[in-house]
Amino acid sequence: MRSPTSASALRRRGALPVLLLVVCATGGCGARPGGTLSAAAEVSATGVPFSYAASASATTTTTTPTPATSTLQVSDVVDGRTITGPDGKQVQIAGLAAPGGCWAQAATDFTRTTLGGKTVKYLPTVGLAATVLLPDGSDFAVEAVRRGMGRVEPGSSTALRSAQSAAQQSKAGLWGAPCEGKDSLESQSDSPYENCAEAKAAGAAPLYAGRAGYDRSLDPDGDGIACER
């Protein structure tokens, strides 16, 4: 028969595990200073440490969809910045301003020569506007502006603005005579020539807008060059 002292000791040892469970349940087991759980306790229900689980859930992979590139066989050129496909679909070349009267014909001719009859790739932007790509992948609008065959729209890209600055400095296209960067020119009324035959007989033809001898009445197509034929 066990002694009373032995029975009491066993009861105390049997109560110890219960006491430890109560203490752990109230946060006193394995706690760090400041009330945070120890590294061993920082485990989610799935067995993954909470710090890692939070990081994994917060990290998401986002992708920005790339606009699809389409193709267009250019069957007609409306003006320097507008092309048309066989089905009548029009594409307005993004970044180019509406052509001015003084240089509109030159811009149209350049676009027709460069894109007419060719199949081009284009990247839609807003509405009918699209970035039209040349066969080498370069932007047609940048090339047109660089040659002075187009003027950039406000808020255009850095590439377009740089191309326009270069054209202005070199007096290319619309930045040279007769337009000198203007969209339209006023007619001169002091022309010494009554008609083109007289101007040609004097060896002065062709006559350029902004220069002596030019008169709008001698320039029926309004391209800034009178008596050119």
Side-chain angles (χ1 to χ4, degrees):
M1 182 177 182
R2 297 177 180 177
S3 65
T5 301
S6 298
S8 176
L10 287 173
R11 284 195 297 274
R12 286 197 299 271
R13 284 197 296 270
L16 183 59
V18 176
L19 179 61
L20 288 174
L21 287 174
V22 172
V23 172
C24 288
T26 58
C29 180
R32 296 176 179 173
T36 60
L37 293 176
S38 66
E42 291 178 352
V43 178
S44 67
T46 60
V48 180
F50 282 118
S51 58
Y52 177 81
S55 175
S57 62
T59 302
T60 57
T61 301
T62 58
T63 57
T64 302
T66 302
T69 300
S70 303
T71 59
L72 177 76
Q73 183 179 3
V74 182
S75 61
D76 192 19
V77 174
V78 178
D79 56 38
R81 68 168 184 170
T82 310
I83 56 179
T84 305
D87 58 355
K89 177 182 176 61
Q90 286 193 349
V91 172
Q92 181 177 297
I93 299 168
L96 298 182
C102 183
W103 49 274
Q105 188 59 51
T108 301
D109 291 343
F110 173 77
T111 301
R112 181 173 288 114
T113 300
T114 308
L115 302 179
K118 297 180 175 62
T119 299
V120 299
K121 293 182 179 181
Y122 67 95
L123 192 65
T125 54
V126 179
L128 295 177
T131 299
V132 175
L133 304 177
L134 294 170
D136 63 359
S138 60
D139 189 338
F140 168 79
V142 173
E143 181 64 13
V145 170
R146 185 180 69 82
R147 292 173 175 264
M149 295 299 164
R151 188 194 297 276
V152 303
E153 287 185 314
S156 296
S157 67
T158 301
L160 279 169
R161 294 197 303 271
S162 297
Q164 180 160 288
S165 295
Q168 287 175 305
Q169 292 174 7
S170 63
K171 295 289 185 179
L174 70 95
W175 305 105
C179 301
E180 300 293 345
K182 298 178 182 179
D183 287 341
S184 61
L185 297 174
E186 297 180 359
S187 298
Q188 295 181 357
S189 59
D190 58 349
S191 174
Y193 308 108
E194 292 292 334
N195 51 52
C196 286
E198 186 177 334
K200 290 177 181 178
L207 305 172
Y208 294 97
R211 298 183 179 181
Y214 174 88
D215 190 277
R216 186 61 182 270
S217 64
L218 304 178
D219 183 14
D221 60 3
D223 64 352
I225 306 175
C227 305
E228 68 265 42
R229 295 184 179 86

